[in-house]
Amino acid sequence: RVQEAWVKTMGENIQKYTYKVEFKYGKLYIKLKSSVLKEELIFEKSKVIKLINQELGKEYVKELILK
């Protein structure tokens, strides 16, 4: 469910640069193909977490880890 929320929230363009999405114990791990995108998302981390949790209707994601 959290993985689906990532895709829906971030859209197709970002999904193209994502090759692994994993959720464990409140942490959402995202592996990206683009270092530029990674830097962009680091600056927007709290906003991304908020958007994903809004999509889920509950605060599941506590931390976003970008690799």
Side-chain angles (χ1 to χ4, degrees):
R1 233 183 111 189
V2 175
Q3 290 89 340
E4 291 170 10
W6 166 262
V7 173
K8 192 170 182 182
T9 303
M10 301 312 291
E12 288 295 317
N13 287 333
I14 291 179
Q15 185 59 29
K16 290 178 191 174
Y17 297 102
T18 303
Y19 66 93
K20 191 169 184 184
V21 179
E22 209 172 307
F23 180 72
K24 289 182 186 175
Y25 308 108
K27 296 180 182 180
L28 182 58
Y29 298 87
I30 307 293
K31 289 195 178 183
L32 300 163
K33 299 174 188 174
S34 167
S35 59
V36 174
L37 178 59
K38 179 182 172 185
E39 291 300 316
E40 292 272 333
L41 290 175
I42 285 171
F43 287 113
E44 298 291 334
K45 228 183 223 193
S46 59
K47 183 179 177 183
V48 171
I49 291 170
K50 185 178 175 183
L51 288 170
I52 292 170
N53 284 329
Q54 282 178 345
E55 178 66 34
L56 293 167
K58 190 175 176 184
E59 191 180 328
Y60 287 103
V61 180
K62 309 271 190 234
E63 191 175 346
L64 180 63
I65 299 165
L66 303 163
K67 297 181 177 185

